[in-house]
Amino acid sequence: MKKAYLGVDVGSISTKGVIIDKNNKILAEAYLWTEGNPIGTVKRLISELANQFDQKRYKVVGVGTTGSARKLTGVILDANVVKNEITAHAIGTISLYPEVRTIFEIGGQDSKIILIEDGIVVDYAMNTLCAAGTGAFLTSQARRLGIDVEEFGPLALQSNNPTNIAARCAVFAESDLVHKIQIGHRREDIVAGLCKAVVTNYLNNVGKGKKIKPPIVFQGGVSKNIGVIKAFSDVTNEEIIVDHNSHLMGALGVAILAKKAKLEKDFNFDINDIEFETRGVECKKCANNCEIICVFKDGYLIDSWGNRCENGAIKIKEQS
Amino acid sequence: MKNKKKVSFPHLGNYWVAIEFLVKNALDADYIIPPPITKKTLELGSMHSPEFVCSPFKYNLGNYIEALEAGANTLIQTGGVCRLGYYGELHEQILKDLGYDFIFINLAKVSYRKPYTLFSDFKKINPRLSISKLTNYMSLMIRMVKIIDKVEGFIRENVGFEVVSGSFDKLLKEFLEALRKVKNKKDINEIYYDYYKQFKAIKIKKPKKPLKVGIIGEYYTIMEPFSNRYLEKELAKKGMIITRTMNISNSLFLRREKDVKTKIKGYLQYDIGATGMDTISEALRLAKEGYDGLIHVKSFGCMPEVDAIPVLQNISNDYKIPILYLSFDTQTSETGIKTRLEAFYDMIVMRKEKK
C-alpha cells in the first residue's frame, strides 16, 4: 500500500481539498462553496475525495489543514499539521514553480503578496481592516450588474476603454460604479474597470513598497478571472502565470507540510456518520466576556478555544 | 478626610504603579486604579469618541468613564506632540457633556519652559504641596518607571524560553505588588535588586542562536498590551527574544533628540512627529544588529507612524530584514493577528535555516 496525504483549505467562501502521493502528484481534488457551514462542507469534501482515488492502492497517513477555519477543521479531521494560509500557499506554489519570485493571491475575503528568493519566503503582506479588492467585492458587484461572476472575465476582455473606478475602498468603489453606470458607461467598460480597480487596489495596498519581480504566479479564486489576469499583466508589464490548479495551492501546500511532518497515522474517511457540533458560550468571568467555542464529537467535548486568559479555560474530560 | 481628592489616570501597561505612588505620596490623594481594560472599556470609549480619532483616545476615554464610575473625581491627562496634545481638551468636554462632575488636570497646557505651571496644576490637587516635595517624589517616580522598564525588558528577552510556563508572569505580579508598598528610595532600590535577582534565577532554556524580533512603533499601542492583542506574549510563546526599547524611560527621560537625528541621517532629515523618528532609529539599529525581523505597530491612522513606513521599507530593502506592519483599532478578534504572526514566524524560521 502506498502512502498518501490529505490537505484541506477551508476559506471564507470556498473549501478546497487534495490528496497527494509521495511525489506531490494530485490523486484527488475537490472544490466546494463553504456557505457559512465549514463542518458540513468539510464532511462533503471528504466523501467527494474518498470516491476519487483508489483506496486499495493508497492509504492516507497524514492530514494538514489551512485557511481561516484551519483550527476547527484540524480538530474535526484530527490533523497532524494546522498551518496558516500564507505559509501553505507559498509551499504549494514553490513545489510547482521552484523559480517563482512573486505570488499574488486574491481570495474571497483576503489578499496577500508573497515574495520569494531561492525557494524561501523572504517577505509577505496581507490585507488588513478592509476587504476591498477581493473576491467577495467582485461577486457583489457582479450581482449588482446582473452578471454571473464567471462571465466577468470574458466580458471585461471585450472592452477597449475600461472605466476608471475609485478603488480605495469597497464602499467608495460601489458608489463610483453606480454613478458611472447611470451616466451611460458601457457594461463591458464598467466590468473591465472593476477588474482594473481590483488590481490597482491590490498593488497600492497589499503590494505597497514591495519589489515585484518575475516570475509572477497569480492564484486564489480571483485568479480564475481572465479580466483580472489581463489587468495585472497590463499594469506590471510582466507575464502572469496562472496554474490550472491555482485555486488548490493552499490545500496542496498543507498536504506537502503534512507529508514533511512525518507524524503518521491512518486517516479514517468515515466521518460522515460522526456528529460534530460547536457551541459558543460567554465566559462572563470578567467584562471581556470572551466567547469560548466548544467542539463536540458525538456529544463529547473534544476541544475549546477563544478564552483570553486561564480563567476561561475549559477542561476537557478524558473520554472513557 | 471627606473632600480628599480621588485621582485617576488612564492605563498604560504597568505604569499605574508609579503614578499611584506619586499621587498618594506627593499629592496626598487617593488613587483610583482604572478597572483593567476589557472589551467593555473599549466599547464605552468608542461609543463616546469621534469615529476617526486614533484608538488610544478611545481607550483613555473608556478608562476615564470606568474610573469615574469607580469613584474618581480628579482626572489627569498628559500632552504630546501629535493628536495626543489635543486629547485632554476633548476628553474633558466629552465627559462634562456626559454629565460627570470632576476636576480635570490637563498637562498639555503646561509650558515646559515654565516648570512652575506644572507645580500649580498639581497644587489644585494638594494645596499644601511644596516644590521640594514634588521634585523629590517626581524623581522617585522616575526611578520606579526606570526599574519597571528594566524588569520588563529583561522579561521580553527571556519569557519565550521559560521552562515552567507562567513563571515570569507570576513573579512580575509579585514584583509590582511589592513596588506598590515602597516609601522611599531605599525601598525602591532594595526591591529592584531583590527581584532582578529572582527574575534572573528563573529557569530558562535558550538555544544557542535564538530568533530575535524587534517591536517598533507608536507610543500607546506598543506599550498597552490589550491594545495590541498581547502581541509580545503571543510572539514570545513561539520561543524567541523580543526587543522593544520604546518605553517611558527611553522616550521621556533618556531620549536625546540630536542623537536620534544623527543616527538616522540618510533615511530621514526632519522630525515627523511623535514617535516617528524613534521608530526609524530603532529599526535601523536592530537591522544593523542582524535581527531576524521587525514588527511595526500602530493605531489605525496614526500619522507620524504612517509617515515612517516608506522609510522603514527602505531600511527593509537595504538590510534585507522583513518588517510586518500591523494596524490596530477597535476590533478585538485575535484570529487575523494570529494568522499574520504565525506566517511571520514561519518566514523568519525558514530564512534563518537557509542562512
Side-chain angles (χ1 to χ4, degrees):
Chain A
M1 200 97 126
K2 289 180 177 169
K3 287 173 182 171
Y5 307 89
L6 166 68
V8 178
D9 176 0
V10 188
S12 57
I13 306 289
S14 63
T15 297
K16 287 80 59 175
V18 296
I19 294 174
I20 57 166
D21 69 5
K22 68 176 196 320
N23 300 318
N24 302 345
K25 198 183 138 229
I26 295 178
L27 305 171
E29 57 168 90
Y31 183 92
L32 302 169
W33 300 117
T34 310
E35 289 167 335
N37 178 12
I39 298 177
T41 313
V42 167
K43 281 184 170 181
R44 278 197 292 135
L45 184 92
I46 296 302
S47 52
E48 269 201 31
L49 290 170
N51 293 333
Q52 276 184 37
F53 82 108
D54 189 349
Q55 294 203 40
K56 289 196 187 93
R57 278 183 66 205
Y58 292 97
K59 189 164 73 181
V60 171
V61 296
V63 179
T65 62
T66 186
S68 41
R70 61 185 178 281
K71 191 163 185 180
L72 178 62
T73 316
V75 167
I76 288 171
L77 299 180
D78 196 15
N80 25 17
V81 173
V82 177
K83 207 58 164 177
N84 65 82
E85 48 271 38
I86 300 159
T87 308
H89 272 115
I91 302 283
T93 312
I94 295 168
S95 76
L96 292 176
Y97 300 93
E99 302 295 312
V100 63
R101 293 297 305 276
T102 309
I103 300 174
F104 293 162
E105 213 272 343
I106 306 185
Q109 290 282 6
D110 66 31
S111 55
K112 35 196 172 288
I113 184 166
I114 307 172
L115 304 186
I116 292 161
E117 257 177 55
D118 305 324
I120 291 287
V121 178
V122 290
D123 201 1
Y124 82 86
M126 190 168 175
N127 63 332
T128 47
L129 297 168
C130 173
T134 63
F137 170 68
L138 279 180
T139 308
S140 70
Q141 299 315 316
R143 199 171 304 134
R144 170 182 289 281
L145 295 165
I147 308 168
D148 276 343
V149 76
E150 290 81 8
E151 299 166 28
F152 226 73
L155 191 59
L157 291 191
Q158 290 171 24
S159 161
N160 293 321
N161 187 25
T163 302
N164 271 321
I165 290 166
R168 180 68 191 84
C169 153
V171 179
F172 293 167
E174 187 157 326
S175 53
D176 208 22
L177 175 105
V178 172
H179 293 156
K180 302 246 156 109
I181 294 171
Q182 303 301 60
I183 61 169
H185 284 255
R186 297 162 64 97
R187 246 164 47 129
E188 61 265 32
D189 292 344
I190 296 270
V191 168
L194 272 173
C195 293
K196 214 178 117 195
V198 165
V199 166
T200 336
N201 178 294
Y202 176 89
L203 293 173
N204 287 346
N205 290 296
V206 185
K208 180 149 250 156
K210 307 278 182 237
K211 290 223 163 69
I212 293 163
K213 289 184 182 148
I216 302 170
V217 175
F218 177 26
Q219 59 201 38
V222 176
S223 69
K224 298 290 170 193
N225 183 324
I226 193 164
V228 178
I229 302 174
K230 185 175 178 295
F232 262 127
S233 83
D234 286 350
V235 175
T236 58
N237 259 327
E238 295 287 352
E239 188 204 350
I240 306 292
I241 304 164
V242 180
D243 193 86
H244 70 281
N245 282 330
S246 64
H247 55 297
L248 297 175
M249 289 303 155
L252 174 64
V254 83
I256 294 173
L257 288 168
K259 183 182 84 180
K260 285 185 180 163
K262 296 207 170 92
L263 290 160
E264 293 186 358
K265 57 185 168 194
D266 290 355
F267 176 67
N268 180 8
F269 277 87
D270 299 325
I271 62 161
N272 244 328
D273 307 325
I274 304 172
E275 195 61 49
F276 289 102
E277 196 197 351
T278 58
R279 245 177 270 161
V281 282
E282 277 207 359
C283 173
K284 289 184 177 156
K285 283 181 182 151
C286 79
N288 270 329
N289 284 328
C290 293
E291 198 181 353
I292 302 168
I293 300 292
C294 302
V295 186
F296 297 88
K297 178 182 176 181
D298 283 337
Y300 283 102
L301 180 69
I302 52 170
D303 207 347
S304 74
W305 54 77
N307 50 305
R308 285 183 178 75
C309 71
E310 282 306 305
N311 292 334
I314 292 177
K315 297 261 155 47
I316 290 157
K317 280 184 213 141
E318 284 294 314
Q319 273 187 48
S320 50
Chain B
M1 224 182 345
K2 213 179 166 195
N3 55 357
K4 203 172 181 183
K5 299 275 192 302
K6 293 185 158 93
V7 179
S8 192
F9 182 79
H11 270 304
L12 182 67
N14 290 318
Y15 295 120
W16 58 272
V17 176
I19 296 159
E20 180 187 50
F21 173 81
L22 183 77
V23 170
K24 276 187 166 168
N25 292 292
L27 307 181
D28 286 332
D30 285 339
Y31 187 68
I32 305 287
I33 307 164
I37 299 180
T38 62
K39 254 175 17 189
K40 189 168 155 252
T41 316
L42 186 55
E43 275 163 26
L44 275 173
S46 308
M47 196 197 300
H48 302 293
S49 293
E51 165 79 25
F52 272 90
V53 75
C54 25
S55 51
F57 184 93
K58 300 173 187 174
Y59 281 103
N60 283 183
L61 187 60
N63 282 154
Y64 284 139
I65 294 175
E66 288 184 328
L68 287 164
E69 296 293 340
N73 58 21
T74 307
L75 306 177
I76 304 179
Q77 181 56 289
T78 167
V81 284
C82 58
R83 270 190 264 188
L84 175 57
Y86 303 103
Y87 276 18
E89 268 176 77
L90 203 49
H91 278 141
E92 184 179 5
Q93 190 62 52
I94 291 172
L95 291 168
K96 291 248 154 91
D97 288 348
L98 286 172
Y100 290 106
D101 187 24
F102 55 92
I103 298 167
F104 198 81
I105 310 284
N106 185 359
L107 300 182
K109 291 179 179 166
V110 167
S111 158
Y112 287 97
R113 289 207 190 104
K114 298 176 212 154
Y116 192 80
T117 49
L118 178 74
F119 174 64
S120 49
D121 260 343
F122 281 137
K123 256 191 117 121
K124 284 182 209 155
I125 300 174
N126 178 12
R128 284 175 307 177
L129 181 68
S130 70
I131 290 207
S132 67
K133 190 174 182 181
L134 182 65
T135 47
N136 175 36
Y137 280 109
M138 282 282 254
S139 78
L140 289 183
M141 180 188 79
I142 292 172
R143 174 77 189 143
M144 246 173 159
V145 166
K146 283 183 182 166
I147 74 166
I148 291 175
D149 284 338
K150 279 218 170 112
V151 163
E152 291 191 341
F154 181 80
I155 294 176
R156 274 191 286 277
E157 305 216 324
N158 294 288
V159 65
F161 310 99
E162 62 187 4
V163 175
V164 181
S165 125
S167 0
F168 277 97
D169 257 11
K170 197 169 150 248
L171 191 59
L172 176 65
K173 275 196 190 116
E174 285 175 28
F175 163 73
L176 293 172
E177 275 313 310
L179 209 51
R180 287 184 72 189
K181 298 192 182 83
V182 299
K183 292 272 173 276
N184 50 44
K185 194 171 177 180
K186 192 173 147 269
D187 292 354
I188 297 178
N189 287 338
E190 266 175 23
I191 282 181
Y192 173 54
Y193 295 125
D194 175 22
Y195 275 89
Y196 207 74
K197 234 187 269 163
Q198 290 191 49
F199 277 110
K200 277 189 163 166
I202 290 179
K203 249 196 174 167
I204 53 167
K205 216 174 151 187
K206 222 182 230 181
K208 258 192 188 141
K209 281 189 177 168
L211 287 168
K212 289 189 285 183
V213 169
I215 317 264
I216 52 175
E218 172 251 314
Y219 217 60
Y220 182 90
T221 308
I222 204 171
M223 287 195 244
E224 175 45 56
F226 187 96
S227 77
N228 62 41
R229 308 284 99 79
Y230 302 93
L231 172 88
E232 291 175 352
K233 229 186 212 174
E234 205 54 56
L235 275 172
K237 266 197 275 177
K238 299 181 192 296
M240 54 177 102
I241 291 181
I242 309 291
T243 302
R244 183 255 280 173
T245 50
M246 172 53 68
N247 55 29
I248 296 288
S249 319
N250 289 333
S251 59
L252 281 187
F253 309 138
L254 305 169
R255 184 174 187 263
R256 292 177 60 190
E257 194 176 321
K258 263 195 186 152
D259 284 357
V260 179
K261 266 191 184 156
T262 338
K263 278 184 198 149
I264 58 176
K265 225 175 176 180
Y267 281 102
L268 188 73
Q269 289 172 22
Y270 48 85
D271 195 344
I272 51 173
T275 44
M277 285 210 303
D278 303 82
T279 296
I280 291 162
S281 130
E282 186 62 3
L284 194 58
R285 183 178 78 83
L286 298 175
K288 283 180 180 165
E289 274 191 25
Y291 268 61
D292 298 292
L294 300 175
I295 298 184
H296 180 242
V297 169
K298 66 172 189 304
S299 57
F300 176 65
C302 169
M303 277 319 285
E305 294 299 328
V306 167
D307 289 345
I309 288 178
V311 186
L312 293 176
Q313 285 166 343
N314 289 340
I315 294 174
S316 167
N317 283 330
D318 292 351
Y319 290 87
K320 302 250 176 261
I321 181 169
I323 305 180
L324 176 67
Y325 302 92
L326 295 175
S327 269
F328 293 89
D329 195 61
T330 51
Q331 75 276 40
T332 47
S333 159
E334 275 130 34
T335 321
I337 301 293
K338 274 190 181 157
T339 300
R340 286 159 181 83
L341 291 182
E342 273 175 28
F344 188 75
Y345 172 74
D346 287 346
M347 172 172 71
I348 58 176
V349 168
M350 282 192 264
R351 285 172 66 114
K352 193 145 188 139
E353 280 169 1
K354 188 91 181 175
K355 268 182 197 166

